[in-house]
Structure formats: structure tokens, C-alpha cells
């Protein structure tokens, strides 16, 4: 919805400021990724998904979301490997 766009953009800027102060904050990276995905900014969301998963490697939802994004980008082998890695965790 277009009326939520300014709110979402402000939220992203607040998260950006938080990550500037706390770059290892996995929860903020996850929220940033989800917010950017909701805004259709997949390329911008990618590093945040990767950082969040690095901080929480057993998080199946994060692993699946990152793999799904890689599939959308045509990175099929990377997505398969990521999901395979998660099986043993």
C-alpha cells in the first residue's frame, strides 16, 4: 500500500541508524532484510539476510528465506547447498 511507503522508509532509516551503532545486531539485520524485501529491494536485503543467518545459523526460517531469494536470482546451486547445510544443524 502506497500510504505505508513513508512509514516503511522511515523504519528502514531507523534500522540503518541502529546498525550503524550495532553492526552485529542480528535481529536488526533480520528486520532490515524483511523490510527491504517488503519494499521490493531484494538486492539491498541480501547482505542483511546473510548477516542474520551468520549470527543465527540454526534459524530455519532465515535459511529458507535466503535460499528462496537466491533461487529468485538464479543461484540454484548456492540455494541447494545452503539448504543442505541446514539439514545437519
Amino acid at each position: 500500500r502506497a500510504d505505508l511507503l513513508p512509514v516503511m522508509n522511515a523504519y528502514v532509516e531507523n534500522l540503518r541508524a541502529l546498525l550503524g551503532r550495532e553492526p552485529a545486531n542480528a535481529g536488526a539485520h533480520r528486520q532490515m532484510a524483511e523490510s527491504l524485501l517488503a519494499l521490493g529491494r531484494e538486492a539491498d536485503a541480501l547482505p542483511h539476510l546473510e548477516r542474520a543467518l551468520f549470527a543465527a545459523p540454526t534459524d530455519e526460517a532465515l535459511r529458507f528465506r535466503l535460499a528462496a531469494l537466491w533461487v529468485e536470482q538464479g543461484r540454484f546451486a548456492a540455494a541447494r547447498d545452503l539448504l543442505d547445510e541446514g539439514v545437519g544443524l
Side-chain angles (χ1 to χ4, degrees), residues 28-69:
H29 279 289
R30 181 185 199 132
Q31 288 300 312
M32 177 67 92
E34 293 301 334
S35 298
L36 291 169
L37 289 169
L39 290 167
R41 295 171 53 187
E42 289 83 6
D44 294 331
L46 183 60
H48 295 286
L49 276 175
E50 291 169 343
R51 294 276 309 261
L53 184 60
F54 180 78
T58 60
D59 188 319
E60 294 175 7
L62 271 174
R63 185 172 296 277
F64 183 79
R65 187 64 187 107
L66 179 56
L69 184 55

Side-chain angles (χ1 to χ4, degrees):
R1 296 179 39 180
D3 56 330
L4 293 178
L5 191 58
V7 174
M8 289 294 294
N9 284 324
Y11 185 60
V12 165
E13 289 309 312
N14 287 335
L15 286 168
R16 191 177 317 283
L18 174 60
L19 288 168
R21 294 187 307 274
E22 300 176 30
N25 186 324
H29 279 289
R30 181 185 199 132
Q31 288 300 312
M32 177 67 92
E34 293 301 334
S35 298
L36 291 169
L37 289 169
L39 290 167
R41 295 171 53 187
E42 289 83 6
D44 294 331
L46 183 60
H48 295 286
L49 276 175
E50 291 169 343
R51 294 276 309 261
L53 184 60
F54 180 78
T58 60
D59 188 319
E60 294 175 7
L62 271 174
R63 185 172 296 277
F64 183 79
R65 187 64 187 107
L66 179 56
L69 184 55
W70 283 351
V71 166
E72 290 173 20
Q73 295 177 336
R75 297 174 61 189
F76 303 110
R80 183 194 63 233
D81 292 345
L82 182 66
L83 294 173
D84 286 346
E85 288 170 11
V87 171
L89 296 177

